Amino acid sequence: MSFTSPMPSQQFLWDVFQRVDKDRSGAISADELQQALSNGTWTPFNPETVRLMIGMFDKKQAGTVSFEEFGALWKYVTDWENCFRSFDRDNSGNIDREELKIALTNFGYRLSDQTINMLIRKYDRAGHGTIYFDDFIQCCIVLYTLTSAFRRLDTDMDGVITIHYEQFLGMVFNLKV
């Protein structure tokens, strides 16, 4: 199952970039990006998800995304949207517990029902037992980042690590999530 979309033309990206860059600063801030994104509900895009995405594509650490960085960000959001739609099997505009389990299993995670339930509780902002598009992105980014940090310490690949408290703190605080 492929979720990737083709990269649009530079002219298309420039037109979108100019519409999002409301203050004409030549860079897109988190506030501008949040206003431009839609999660398919009438609620604003999760600011934490926006911050994570800006951080992923902000190569100069300026807190904004330049036009040069924007194409990759646009493609990233579009690919996540395609992914989300493929797992939102009932076209409800959100991911329920079973759809999340299927998505994460497809991504290669083998998580217990207890962990899936915990993720639903953590990322369900509406309190309906479902996750919106923006929260789905955040959930997947955080899960990927935590898993990558764990795997760096799981040198024998047995799914178990032994670390001291300060190692744990260092691992968590050094993550970009």
Side-chain angles (χ1 to χ4, degrees):
M1 187 178 298
S2 175
F3 307 115
T4 60
S5 56
M7 185 61 91
S9 72
Q10 288 294 303
Q11 186 59 53
F12 174 85
L13 287 172
W14 179 246
D15 292 344
V16 173
F17 183 86
Q18 287 188 302
R19 283 198 303 272
V20 176
D21 182 19
K22 298 278 189 210
D23 65 1
R24 299 285 178 247
S25 65
I28 294 173
S29 68
D31 286 344
E32 289 171 326
L33 185 60
Q34 182 183 17
Q35 290 171 17
L37 292 172
S38 169
N39 63 6
T41 68
W42 296 106
T43 58
F45 218 78
N46 183 332
E48 184 61 20
T49 305
V50 173
R51 185 192 66 78
L52 281 171
M53 291 190 307
I54 290 276
M56 291 172 71
F57 294 94
D58 174 19
K59 303 300 180 212
K60 298 178 191 100
Q61 305 295 311
T64 59
V65 176
S66 67
F67 177 66
E68 293 73 29
E69 299 161 332
F70 180 70
L73 171 62
W74 186 91
K75 184 170 179 356
Y76 184 80
V77 172
T78 303
D79 289 347
W80 270 116
E81 187 176 24
N82 293 337
C83 172
F84 181 84
R85 284 184 179 155
S86 76
F87 291 114
D88 179 17
R89 298 189 178 202
D90 59 359
N91 293 317
S92 63
N94 53 55
I95 298 279
D96 65 24
R97 187 194 169 289
E98 281 308 305
E99 290 166 332
L100 179 64
K101 185 173 185 173
I102 291 167
L104 295 178
T105 300
N106 273 275
F107 296 159
Y109 295 103
R110 289 183 297 279
L111 301 173
S112 69
D113 287 343
Q114 181 180 355
T115 301
I116 297 291
N117 290 337
M118 177 185 62
L119 292 171
I120 289 284
R121 281 191 308 274
K122 169 80 176 156
Y123 293 101
D124 172 19
R125 282 190 296 152
H128 299 139
T130 59
I131 300 176
Y132 294 135
F133 172 54
D134 52 344
D135 299 311
F136 176 70
I137 294 172
Q138 183 182 352
C139 174
C140 292
I141 291 171
V142 170
L143 189 58
Y144 173 80
T145 304
L146 291 172
T147 301
S148 296
F150 184 91
R151 284 187 177 151
R152 281 193 293 278
L153 297 173
D154 185 16
T155 53
D156 60 358
M157 302 299 285
D158 68 351
V160 176
I161 61 173
T162 303
I163 58 175
H164 298 283
Y165 177 62
E166 288 192 8
Q167 283 178 289
F168 170 75
L169 290 177
M171 181 177 86
V172 170
F173 288 124
N174 285 317
L175 295 177
K176 273 194 97 173
V177 290

